[in-house]
Amino acid sequence: MKAKLIAFAAAATLALGVSSVWAQGALHQAEVIDTMNGGGYTYVQLKEADKTYWAAGPQTEVNKGDKVEVSEQMWMTDFKSSSLNRTFDKIMFVGNINKK
């Protein structure tokens, strides 16, 4: 599934001409403040310390209020999710979303 996510993100980057920066697999621990599923992926809005941001990873069951750990893969700007019919200003693609 991780390879599928990376391939998806790379294809989206090329197709959309979106710039991306590959991360070094940084781990983030945060609280889920919003979540939705679409196209086989789970999108979570996370609150980490004083930052709030969106992340997307392989579909998994999470709820608002859950504490999760995510493994950063890359950031994208102006990412359009066709399955959600929504554009995210900035979103982090992650290798996994693990409940803590």
Side-chain angles (χ1 to χ4, degrees), residues 26-97:
L27 293 177
H28 298 267
Q29 294 183 354
E31 178 181 349
V32 176
I33 57 176
D34 197 5
T35 184
M36 59 192 80
N37 291 330
Y41 297 92
T42 294
Y43 296 80
V44 288
Q45 187 176 33
L46 300 174
K47 180 167 178 50
E48 179 181 9
D50 61 345
K51 297 178 186 176
T52 301
Y53 54 90
W54 281 95
Q59 190 165 330
T60 188
E61 286 296 319
V62 293
N63 298 299
K64 292 179 184 178
D66 284 348
K67 305 287 190 219
V68 297
E69 182 175 82
V70 296
S71 169
E72 181 176 339
Q73 297 299 310
M74 72 180 233
W75 286 92
M76 292 182 72
T77 55
D78 298 321
F79 175 76
K80 178 162 177 55
S81 166
S82 57
S83 63
L84 297 177
N85 194 28
R86 177 178 179 158
T87 300
F88 295 89
D89 293 336
K90 185 175 180 184
I91 190 167
M92 176 184 10
F93 284 90
V94 300
N96 53 36
I97 302 170

